[in-house]
Amino acid sequence: MLFYSTQNKENRSPIKEAVLKGLADDNGLYMPEFIPLLPASFINHLSEYSLPQIGYAVLKNFFCPEISEAALKSIVEEVFDFPIPVKQVTDQISVLELFHGPTMAFKDVGARFLARVLSQFTKGVEKEITVLVATSGDTGSAVANGFLDVPGIRVVVLYPKGMVSEVQEKQFTTLGKNITAIEVDGTFDDCQAMVKEAFLDKTLRSEIILTSANSINLARLLPQAVYYFHAFAQIAKEQQQDTVIAVPSGNFGNLAAGILSKSMGLPVQSFIAATNVNDVVPQYLKSGKLEPRPSVSTVANAMDVGNPSNFVRIQQLFNNNWSEISQSITGLAYTDKQIRATIKRVFAATGYILDPHGATAFSGLEQRLGKGEKGLFLATAHPAKFPEVVEQEIGVRLEIPHNLVKFQSGRKQTVEMHASSNQLKNYLLT
Ligand SMILES: *Cc1c(COP(=O)(O)O)cnc(C)c1O
């Protein structure tokens, strides 16, 4: 299979090139040239397959034979070695908990997969490879931990100074080794712009091998389709067609993967794109106009995105047909006050502890679900990653899970930088 650039469908590359480059030369995002429909014998018997088996079935069309079938099998076994359970929260609503991985956020899946695929593709390359990534929180920790100690690869993480929770910051600033954290005096959008400019810089790209670990990289995006199938493996068959999936969204990679899973044959009824007040996409779904604007910071900070980089992929999956997009996806946005109120109300009513991101998706289901419909929302991070907000609302101290405790004792080490592409370039060249 080849992968085209969203800027120009004629510009097509094999998976290896798409993964190594991250972004196409023309600045477009890579997309599969066709979407493989998975056999009904698989879709109808999902519950008989383990999570790694589902991973292999979903991903082999994209990655094999460039990655051998045997190598892909062992990659999915390593990546999907933690549980991704569906749990019932109310009569109508259940949750897919994506936060049982090493950094307790859904990004562990994509980051771990990307790290392994990159090291397959760079076997025998002598020059060091630089993975450049901007983070508003969870990407940095998932990518840094996914790549820690992977030989031949250095990781440079850019993040907005003072805008990432302490728990998150510790997860990528304390690792040392092949991981460097750059603390940028600016916003997440500044960090993302610096990364984009580095990729467009011809001198830089002739001197070093740069690749991206942001959700624009196909090897992060595609494995995220796997857990949608695994979710349905845990849902009664007669309910699947009536299930609405709500996805807490920022850069819209996660939702793009969900829509991809539907295009591959998963019988999802429809999707909700849940956001905080950075509601560029919900606005687009209402008006047909995509109007990026600077992000504002919220309690669901991993979704503070004003120019969602993966949304163009969703448009492509619908052939840019707005009326189809807006029928298949409901966009709903929530203020900090509403997010907090939901965390409080749901805990009081059910005992379930939401994190601020999952809370937007839960609210979306409450608002949107009709009679007879079922809702599944994605819990993208463990609530203990956001104790400042969650504890205040539920009035209970959260126990810090073991996976998070081990980061807390480390010492923060960062490089400070202005929001300047030149400064980044100089740093990368030395
Ligand atoms: C990254 C992130 C999101 C947003 O995911 P996208 O794929 O960028 O839409 C949501 N919740 C959490 C906790 C995240 O870390």
Side-chain angles (χ1 to χ4, degrees), residues 23 31 51 55 71 83 105 124 183 198 293 320 375 402 418 425:
L23 205 61
M31 282 294 284
L51 174 54
E183 208 170 352
R293 55 170 201 263
N320 270 313
H402 167 77
H418 296 293
K425 180 177 172 178

Side-chain angles (χ1 to χ4, degrees), residues 105-107 136-139 168 215 220 224 247-255 302-303 305 310 355 357 380-381 386:
F106 85 98
K107 292 188 176 76
S136 58
D138 283 344
T139 301
Q168 286 179 323
S215 54
R220 265 194 60 190
Q224 293 177 358
V247 185
S249 295
N251 265 320
F252 282 80
N254 211 0
L255 182 60
M303 313 192 322
V305 182
N310 274 295
D355 92 286
H357 306 82
T380 45
F386 306 92

Side-chain angles (χ1 to χ4, degrees), residues 242-298:
D242 299 321
T243 297
V244 177
I245 300 185
V247 185
S249 295
N251 265 320
F252 282 80
N254 211 0
L255 182 60
I259 291 168
L260 179 70
S261 72
K262 186 173 180 181
S263 307
M264 292 173 81
L266 195 69
V268 182
Q269 198 240 54
S270 64
F271 290 93
I272 294 173
T275 69
N276 54 33
V277 294
N278 295 286
D279 64 348
V280 171
V281 169
Q283 288 301 335
Y284 163 83
L285 293 167
K286 286 197 193 89
S287 70
K289 284 191 223 110
L290 192 68
E291 297 178 318
R293 55 170 201 263
S295 63
V296 297
S297 62
T298 74

